[in-house]
Amino acid sequence: MKNWIMIIAVICLIGALYMMPVAFSERRIDDHSNNSPQKTENACEIFIEVEGQKEKIPLETYIVGVVAAEMPVSFNKEALKAQAIAARTYALKTTNYGKKAIAPTVARQVYYNQEQRKANWTSNFPGNEKKIVEAIMETEGQVLLYNNELITAMFHSTSNGKTESAYGYSGNDLPYLQSVASMSDQASPKFATIKEWTLTEWNALWPVKWQANDFNRMQVFLNDSERVERLQLGKNGWSGREVRTLLQLPSTDFKISYNKNTDKVQVATKGYGHGVGMSQYGADAMAREGKSASEILHYYYQQIEIKKIDACLK
């Protein structure tokens, strides 16, 4: 009798062991159906390769470094959360979910590692780090989608009172990157700037030589967001973006004037950055008015959805 009991027990144990993988597999299928990324030891975690960094960086750790570098930590937490979602979206689209490297520059996204953050914040590091990390963790995995695809989540420091459309910037129309009012940007310390050159210094920058009377006959063409689309001087012409790069201007909303008495060329500029997508100072102003990160993002990016990615499906 005892032998039979032992045999039955062994059979039951083998059966239980055999069934375990099946039960686990069914649970994972249910998890995917809920569109909720699951964390396991061999997680489908996305790593970002940042040019100049020795090792690849877990996505959320990378976003901490981007938000710390791209937006003032003094900004309202909802603005920081909006920045985190935009930066995560931009990183995943640019790197194809971590398959390509990304540069830590203003041409892509600036990134500060922990050592850089400690050096920048010194004694304020613990509190600042906590605030940034909380903003990232409260939006973990969230991205911006249009027609179920990651958007190009462009953002900038300060608009000229209106954001720039994708069409105005590049000639390519994108439904989610349209021009919207952002009047609160006028309170930004970067809203208005002035640069000056002597006529000699000015001519050293250009491929043509300007005469004093050229400033009266130049033609400036503006686009719908009141930024310079084209500057024409006789047969020579430059796009607003080309002039911005040539003169190292904060934005393409600029006005050129020349004072014969002082022999000075003056360029007054409004806004800071390309102006497309979310204005960071505008986002902070909205957050301080009580708007949520979701409301901020839906304002600056039209017809988008905010969803949580499932890295295991990538």
Side-chain angles (χ1 to χ4, degrees):
M1 185 68 176
K2 291 182 179 178
N3 289 341
W4 278 107
I5 293 172
M6 290 292 292
I7 291 169
I8 292 170
V10 169
I11 291 172
C12 290
L13 177 61
I14 292 171
L17 291 171
Y18 180 79
M19 290 299 292
M20 281 177 68
V22 176
F24 179 76
S25 175
E26 289 173 349
R27 181 170 62 83
R28 293 298 293 160
I29 291 171
D30 289 341
D31 288 344
H32 285 312
S33 67
N34 292 329
N35 294 320
S36 176
Q38 302 297 311
K39 290 185 177 180
T40 60
E41 285 188 359
N42 52 343
C44 317
E45 189 171 7
I46 295 172
F47 287 80
I48 302 297
E49 181 182 352
V50 180
E51 293 177 9
Q53 299 293 316
K54 292 182 180 179
E55 298 179 354
K56 291 186 176 182
I57 305 163
L59 174 61
E60 301 303 331
T61 302
Y62 167 72
I63 299 303
V64 170
V66 172
V67 174
E70 289 282 4
M71 181 173 273
V73 70
S74 60
F75 276 17
N76 186 281
K77 193 192 217 180
E78 290 302 310
L80 294 169
K81 288 164 66 174
Q83 179 68 71
I85 297 169
R88 186 181 295 112
T89 305
Y90 187 87
L92 290 176
K93 186 172 181 68
T94 302
T95 67
N96 190 19
Y97 292 90
K99 294 180 178 67
K100 298 187 293 184
I102 187 169
T105 65
V106 292
R108 293 299 182 184
Q109 292 189 137
V110 183
Y111 168 80
Y112 290 159
N113 61 29
Q114 192 176 74
E115 288 70 27
Q116 290 171 303
R117 300 196 297 272
K118 284 181 178 179
N120 291 339
W121 291 333
T122 59
S123 61
N124 294 324
F125 173 77
N128 290 349
E129 187 82 347
K130 181 175 181 292
K131 184 178 179 181
I132 297 288
V133 170
E134 284 178 357
I136 276 64
M137 296 312 296
E138 288 174 20
T139 63
E140 184 178 6
Q142 292 180 24
V143 293
L144 306 175
L145 303 177
Y146 177 79
N147 282 349
N148 247 2
E149 297 287 337
L150 291 170
I151 73 167
T152 301
M154 297 176 72
F155 53 87
H156 59 282
S157 171
T158 307
S159 80
N160 67 345
K162 293 181 181 178
T163 65
E164 176 70 286
S165 67
Y167 183 80
Y169 178 72
S170 65
N172 297 316
D173 189 30
L174 293 173
Y176 55 82
L177 288 177
Q178 301 297 315
S179 179
V180 298
S182 192
M183 296 303 293
S184 56
D185 287 9
Q186 293 180 33
S188 165
K190 297 182 176 182
F191 178 71
T193 55
I194 294 176
K195 296 183 73 171
E196 286 188 335
W197 298 262
T198 65
L199 186 57
T200 301
E201 292 168 338
W202 177 266
N203 278 326
L205 300 172
W206 291 82
V208 298
K209 297 301 179 185
W210 290 64
Q211 304 299 321
N213 64 343
D214 287 337
F215 295 93
N216 294 322
R217 68 186 190 91
M218 67 179 178
Q219 293 178 287
V220 180
F221 302 92
L222 304 181
N223 64 15
D224 292 340
S225 69
E226 299 176 18
R227 291 171 173 83
V228 175
E229 184 174 294
R230 188 165 185 79
L231 173 67
Q232 195 75 31
L233 180 63
K235 296 180 179 180
N236 299 295
W238 304 268
S239 70
R241 290 174 63 183
E242 288 173 330
V243 176
R244 182 192 175 198
T245 300
L246 186 73
L247 302 179
Q248 295 295 292
L249 300 176
S251 83
T252 54
D253 182 336
F254 56 83
K255 288 181 172 61
I256 302 172
S257 60
Y258 174 67
N259 188 322
K260 290 182 179 180
N261 297 324
T262 61
D263 186 39
K264 289 288 183 69
V265 182
Q266 186 179 88
V267 179
T269 310
K270 289 182 182 178
Y272 195 98
H274 50 61
V276 186
M278 184 179 72
S279 161
Q280 293 170 317
Y281 273 87
D284 186 51
M286 290 181 69
R288 294 183 189 280
E289 292 170 358
K291 297 293 191 293
S292 68
S294 175
E295 289 174 309
I296 293 167
L297 292 167
H298 278 97
Y299 180 75
Y300 283 110
Y301 306 103
Q302 288 76 58
Q303 305 175 49
I304 54 95
E305 293 181 285
I306 302 174
K307 287 189 176 181
K308 196 167 185 177
I309 59 167
D310 189 340
C312 292
L313 298 179
K314 300 304 174 186

